[in-house]
Amino acid sequence: MTNDTAWAPPADVTPEQACPIAPVVDIVFSRWTTPILWVLHEFGRHRFVELERRITTITPKVLTEGLRRLERDGLVVRTYHPEVPPRVEYEISELGRRLAPLFAALAEWSVNLGEVEQARLDYDARKPISSRRT
Amino acid sequence: MTNDTAWAPPADVTPEQACPIAPVVDIVFSRWTTPILWVLHEFGRHRFVELERRITTITPKVLTEGLRRLERDGLVVRTYHPEVPPRVEYEISELGRRLAPLFAALAEWSVNLGEVEQARLDYDARKPISSRRT
DNA sequence: CAGTATCCAGACGGATACTG
DNA sequence: CAGTATCCGTCTGGATACTG
């Protein structure tokens, strides 16, 4: 329970993120990256259309953007097969595979989703009763 | 390496998310929640202004929004002390504390940030050479 | 202190159509 | 098949000012 009123910045912290895990979050959990990585991680190599079909609600444009970013970050490997019709395959990289423990932790925490749902119901139920100055 | 051309949806998957961890990601890693939760998790109870000072770039409006959402989701507990001047304290809930392993996994993965940076440099270096049809 | 109220710009992402 | 190009609405989040 660290809680001094006088507080000095740790000095090794960039103004942008007060927490060291923020950069990781930006890389791994920016929009659409989670479904893409998850699919690649769980079901192996995929072609473009296969990914489109797995992640039913994604549009080609957004899928491309996501894949490019992941490729750039070294989490996904793109392989182009010069055939007709062209074939491109995406798979998770070795670096990306190191996310496995993280995904495992995520999946494990999902057992708590029920409690979150309940918390929301509770909150919404008692919220209307005055603009809570309590 | 599951990779059939003929593919049928798992049927227990909602159209929205092809992956079961997506809901968790939405709750835990939506904008600004990570810094807030991290600070609360690492440094204990905080008042509003203290959080503002830790997360230097956040505005009061956005901080409030984040805290409200986290409170609603049951990850953060808000305590109002009816004094003058008013005092409000935020702390991570027991449910929120269960995120610890997740944060640990995140923090551990941050050792790979250097590799990501390198991957980006490599990518940007070889990218300009034709619009890569390779 | 602990917020709320407004206003607003810019990024994000969806729909649609087209190409090598 | 594997994308690109374009257009455009939405929503996030920043700046600023004000309040119980």
Side-chain angles (χ1 to χ4, degrees):
Chain A
M1 307 282 162
T2 309
N3 208 4
D4 320 336
T5 348
W7 177 81
D12 62 319
V13 173
T14 73
E16 198 55 27
Q17 46 264 3
C19 76
I21 60 174
V24 180
V25 172
D26 284 345
I27 293 166
V28 184
F29 299 110
S30 47
R31 194 94 234 267
W32 288 116
T33 61
T34 316
I36 297 173
L37 279 178
W38 170 269
V39 166
L40 258 25
H41 175 265
E42 286 293 295
F43 307 105
R45 214 183 315 166
H46 279 67
R47 325 178 41 163
F48 193 86
V49 275
E50 290 169 346
L51 283 171
E52 261 187 294
R53 283 195 282 260
R54 289 262 191 204
I55 309 163
T56 51
T57 56
I58 204 168
T59 61
K61 178 195 149 192
V62 175
L63 178 55
T64 303
E65 290 169 356
L67 287 169
R68 288 293 172 276
R69 189 164 24 77
L70 289 169
E71 190 194 355
R72 187 173 112 98
D73 290 347
L75 298 177
V76 159
V77 175
R78 182 189 121 119
T79 315
Y80 179 82
H81 303 272
E83 310 168 356
V84 270
R87 186 161 56 91
V88 175
E89 290 187 314
Y90 294 93
E91 60 189 317
I92 200 159
S93 70
E94 192 276 319
L95 179 58
R97 236 179 286 279
R98 289 182 222 158
L99 290 168
L102 190 45
F103 285 158
L106 255 314
E108 238 174 275
W109 201 85
S110 65
V111 301
N112 297 304
L113 285 175
E115 277 184 63
V116 171
E117 189 48 43
Q118 190 55 52
R120 287 176 176 173
L121 292 174
D122 293 352
Y123 184 88
D124 293 345
R126 59 186 161 68
K127 193 52 193 318
I129 307 163
S130 90
S131 302
R132 35 190 280 288
R133 208 141 293 298
T134 19
Chain B
M1 310 273 162
T2 310
N3 206 5
D4 319 336
T5 348
W7 176 81
D12 62 321
V13 174
T14 72
E16 199 55 28
Q17 47 264 3
C19 75
I21 60 174
V24 180
V25 172
D26 284 345
I27 293 166
V28 184
F29 299 110
S30 48
R31 195 92 232 270
W32 289 114
T33 60
T34 317
I36 298 173
L37 278 178
W38 170 269
V39 166
L40 259 25
H41 177 264
E42 286 294 295
F43 306 106
R45 214 183 316 168
H46 279 66
R47 327 177 39 163
F48 192 84
V49 275
E50 289 169 346
L51 283 171
E52 261 188 296
R53 283 195 282 261
R54 289 262 190 203
I55 309 162
T56 52
T57 55
I58 204 169
T59 60
K61 178 195 149 195
V62 175
L63 178 55
T64 303
E65 289 169 356
L67 286 168
R68 287 294 171 278
R69 189 164 24 76
L70 289 169
E71 190 194 355
R72 186 172 112 99
D73 290 347
L75 298 177
V76 159
V77 176
R78 183 188 119 120
T79 316
Y80 179 82
H81 303 273
E83 311 167 357
V84 269
R87 187 162 54 91
V88 175
E89 289 186 314
Y90 294 93
E91 60 189 317
I92 200 159
S93 70
E94 192 276 319
L95 179 58
R97 236 180 285 280
R98 288 182 221 157
L99 290 168
L102 191 45
F103 285 157
L106 254 314
E108 238 174 275
W109 201 87
S110 66
V111 302
N112 297 305
L113 285 175
E115 277 185 64
V116 171
E117 189 49 43
Q118 188 56 51
R120 286 176 177 173
L121 292 174
D122 293 352
Y123 184 89
D124 293 345
R126 59 187 161 67
K127 195 50 193 318
I129 308 162
S130 92
S131 301
R132 39 188 275 289
R133 209 142 294 301
T134 16

